[in-house]
Structures are given as structure tokens and as C-alpha cells.
């Protein structure tokens, strides 16, 4: 899911390592998880290890090391998000003919997505990816007016205006 969003700020923290009884098994698990984490995120991605809780809290020096790292951490720029269009969808409408849906539940659907475009321009006939589904070509793209537009001018209320509102 992180790949779809262009990898926002990501850092890994392994906890509950005190549950491992054997040192060799712990080392092998850490190595395997670190390798997988760096394979999924990017080579050199930092993975922190918290050894375990003592009296319901993690050791102070481990928490301080994590906080120190977060405070000086430099994140890679989100190049992908700035060079690709993506949509934050807030509404989906199924435009498929209801009769066709009754006849065959697995009929190809015609769907409209409504939301907010981010990144670059979105053009008709572009291929879009829907996470967990597949890649599809868009038939059309249209601009709708903002349902919650910002006011053109900022109204300043004076005491007289407030009196007018309360009458």
C-alpha cells in the first residue's frame, strides 16, 4: 500500500523481541526482517529494534535513540508523487445498467470516481491502477466545481456586524 502512495516517510521499528528465547533464532529473524524491509522500501532503510518491555515500558536508551534518529532523519523527496497523477477518491458510482447486473452479476462495470486530483494532470485514455484490483484505461475525465469552495473575500466582523447578527 505504501508503494501506491509514493512512499511517504517510512521507518521500521521491531518490538517484542524479548519473546525470542534463542539468540540464534533472534539474529536470523532480525536479519530476514531487515532484508525484507529494505527490499520493500529502499536499500539502506533504517529499521530499529526494541528489545522488549520492562515493567510495561521500553528501555529509555532505545526510545532516546529512536527519538534522536527521528529528529535528524532526512527523507528522500517524493519524486513519484510529484510526477504522476493520483486521485483521492471520496465517492464511487456504479453506472452499469441495472438490468445487465441482474442478468449477470459478473458483467463488466462502468464506474465513475469522484475525488481530488493531486500530482500532475490526468488525461483521458490514461492507464490507471486501482490497488487490489488491476490496471484500467479511463474513458473520460471531467472537472467538477468544488462542493466547498473557499470564499473570494474574507469577511471581517466588527462589533456592529456582530450586533446585527444577534438581533
Amino acid at each position: 500500500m505504501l508503494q501506491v502512495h509514493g512512499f511517504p516517510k517510512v521507518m521500521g521499528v521491531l518490538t517484542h523481541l524479548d519473546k525470542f528465547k534463542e539468540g540464534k533464532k533472534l539474529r536470523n529473524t532480525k536479519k530476514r526482517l531487515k532484508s525484507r524491509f529494505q527490499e520493500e522500501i529502499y536499500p539502506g532503510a533504517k529499521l530499529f529494534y526494541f528489545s522488549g518491555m520492562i515493567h510495561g515500558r521500553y528501555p529509555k536508551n532505545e526510545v532516546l535513540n529512536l527519538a534522536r534518529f527521528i529528529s535528524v532523519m532526512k527523507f528522500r523527496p517524493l519524486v513519484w508523487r510529484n510526477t504522476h497523477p493520483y486521485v483521492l477518491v471520496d465517492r464511487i458510482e456504479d453506472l452499469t445498467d441495472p438490468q445487465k447486473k441482474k442478468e449477470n452479476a459478473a458483467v463488466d462495470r462502468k464506474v465513475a470516481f469522484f475525488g481530488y486530483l493531486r500530482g500532475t494532470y490526468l488525461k483521458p485514455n490514461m492507464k490507471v491502477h486501482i490497488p487490489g484490483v488491476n490496471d484500467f484505461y479511463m474513458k473520460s475525465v471531467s472537472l467538477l466545481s468544488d462542493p466547498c469552495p473557499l470564499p473570494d473575500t474574507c469577511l471581517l466582523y466588527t462589533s456592529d456586524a456582530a450586533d446585527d447578527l444577534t438581533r
Side-chain angles (χ1 to χ4, degrees):
M1 187 54 94
L2 292 174
Q3 288 176 338
V4 174
H5 295 287
F7 286 116
K9 301 172 183 179
V10 177
M11 180 180 75
V13 180
L14 289 179
T15 59
H16 295 52
L17 297 178
D18 56 334
K19 303 294 182 193
F20 288 93
K21 302 299 180 204
E22 299 174 30
K24 187 174 183 180
K25 189 172 185 179
L26 174 62
R27 279 191 307 275
N28 288 340
T29 303
K30 278 183 175 181
K31 189 176 178 181
R32 196 173 72 244
L33 287 172
K34 183 176 183 177
S35 172
R36 178 62 189 261
F37 183 73
Q38 290 183 351
E39 178 183 313
E40 292 290 330
I41 306 301
Y42 60 87
K46 186 68 173 165
L47 189 59
F48 276 90
Y49 307 105
F50 278 10
S51 57
M53 296 181 113
I54 301 169
H55 305 297
R57 294 180 177 213
Y58 290 108
K60 190 174 183 178
N61 64 333
E62 292 179 356
V63 175
L64 285 174
N65 285 339
L66 177 62
R68 188 176 297 118
F69 182 77
I70 290 172
S71 68
V72 299
M73 192 174 185
K74 291 189 172 101
F75 295 100
R76 299 177 338 148
L78 297 176
V79 174
W80 188 92
R81 280 177 63 169
N82 295 330
T83 58
H84 292 78
Y86 59 101
V87 178
L88 173 62
V89 175
D90 67 352
R91 189 174 91 224
I92 302 172
E93 289 184 12
D94 188 356
L95 305 175
T96 311
D97 181 25
Q99 186 63 31
K100 288 182 180 178
K101 287 193 287 190
K102 282 183 183 178
E103 293 170 2
N104 180 9
V107 68
D108 286 344
R109 303 292 177 111
K110 183 177 181 181
V111 181
F113 293 95
F114 298 86
Y116 300 91
L117 178 65
R118 307 289 296 175
T120 62
Y121 298 106
L122 195 61
K123 302 173 196 118
N125 300 321
M126 281 181 78
K127 201 172 198 180
V128 295
H129 177 74
I130 301 174
V133 182
N134 206 346
D135 294 333
F136 300 94
Y137 286 98
M138 293 183 298
K139 183 177 179 183
S140 65
V141 178
S142 57
L143 177 68
L144 300 176
S145 61
D146 191 350
C148 303
L150 294 173
D152 291 336
T153 59
C154 183
L155 299 176
L156 297 176
Y157 290 103
T158 63
S159 60
D160 295 340
D163 290 340
D164 291 341
L165 291 174
T166 57
R167 288 182 194 170

